[in-house]
Amino acid sequence: MMKKWGTFCYTVFCVLFLAVPAVALLGSARFLVSSGILVPGAVLSLLFFGALGAVFFLPGMEKSPSIVCLVGVMGISVVFRYFCWKAIGDHMVMLYDYKTALESAMGVYAAKEAIFTHWAFYPRILRLWFALFGAGYPQAVAFSIAVGSCSVGLVWLIAKELWHSKKIATAAGLILALWPSLGLYHTVTSNEHLAMLTMLLGIYCLLLF
């Protein structure tokens, strides 16, 4: 009896777990299409579900090299976020903390740097990126996309370490890689991208050691 009840609860959890991204994606696609900002929003949703279907039903997934699965989800993350940026970049206006972080990385003094640690840390990291690739809004977006892709890779590694399944790890990576709000959020400069990467790195290190 307890085993049946446990199986039932686990099944309900799995359905709800898959329903959350489904509802979020469909809602985001409907909004983006109606607003005219991103016409192919519905196509992105179909791409997401097609990718998940391939992950769970492609017979050779578990036989594929881990590096192929890992690099694949990270690459999809880069392509999706770049697509989002190209779609809404002309409509983007950086305000408040986002604009301040960008200006601080370019050398403009921000009073917050004397109060908050992350305000002194994040712009300095971004400034190093600027030194390599040039300073500007497109370069800042490229940094956010790169950090986001690394976060996707860490999610894949964490899921692989927990469940020892490349299918589950790839599904987890794709959910983060194709999450609509994150695709749009990575078009702004924010220390939260780097904070998420650091948090995931810490979790992965804890699992290893």
Side-chain angles (χ1 to χ4, degrees), residues 35-50:
S35 64
I37 296 177
L38 188 60
V39 176
V43 176
L44 295 177
S45 297
L46 292 175
L47 173 64
F48 177 86
F49 292 114

Side-chain angles (χ1 to χ4, degrees), residues 7-143:
T7 303
F8 171 76
C9 291
Y10 180 76
T11 303
V12 171
F13 172 79
C14 290
V15 171
L16 292 176
F17 180 77
L18 292 176
V20 169
V23 172
L25 281 164
L26 291 175
S28 297
R30 188 161 45 247
F31 169 76
L32 291 171
V33 171
S34 63
S35 64
I37 296 177
L38 188 60
V39 176
V43 176
L44 295 177
S45 297
L46 292 175
L47 173 64
F48 177 86
F49 292 114
L52 276 186
V55 165
F56 282 107
F57 299 109
L58 190 64
M61 175 57 66
E62 288 296 343
K63 297 180 181 179
S64 301
S66 295
I67 189 65
V68 172
C69 300
L70 175 60
V71 173
V73 294
M74 293 177 68
I76 289 173
S77 169
V78 170
V79 172
F80 174 68
R81 284 164 171 74
Y82 176 78
F83 183 83
C84 288
W85 174 58
K86 295 301 290 184
I88 70 170
D90 293 338
H91 305 278
M92 180 62 65
V93 178
M94 301 276 281
L95 299 173
Y96 311 118
D97 290 351
Y98 308 108
K99 183 179 180 181
T100 303
L102 181 61
E103 292 176 341
S104 179
M106 293 179 178
V108 178
Y109 175 74
K112 292 183 178 181
E113 295 179 16
I115 305 173
F116 302 109
T117 304
H118 61 274
W119 272 102
F121 176 70
Y122 172 71
R124 299 302 178 275
I125 300 297
L126 189 57
R127 185 177 295 182
L128 292 176
W129 179 272
F130 284 168
L132 294 173
F133 302 103
Y137 170 60
Q139 289 81 0
V141 173
F143 178 74

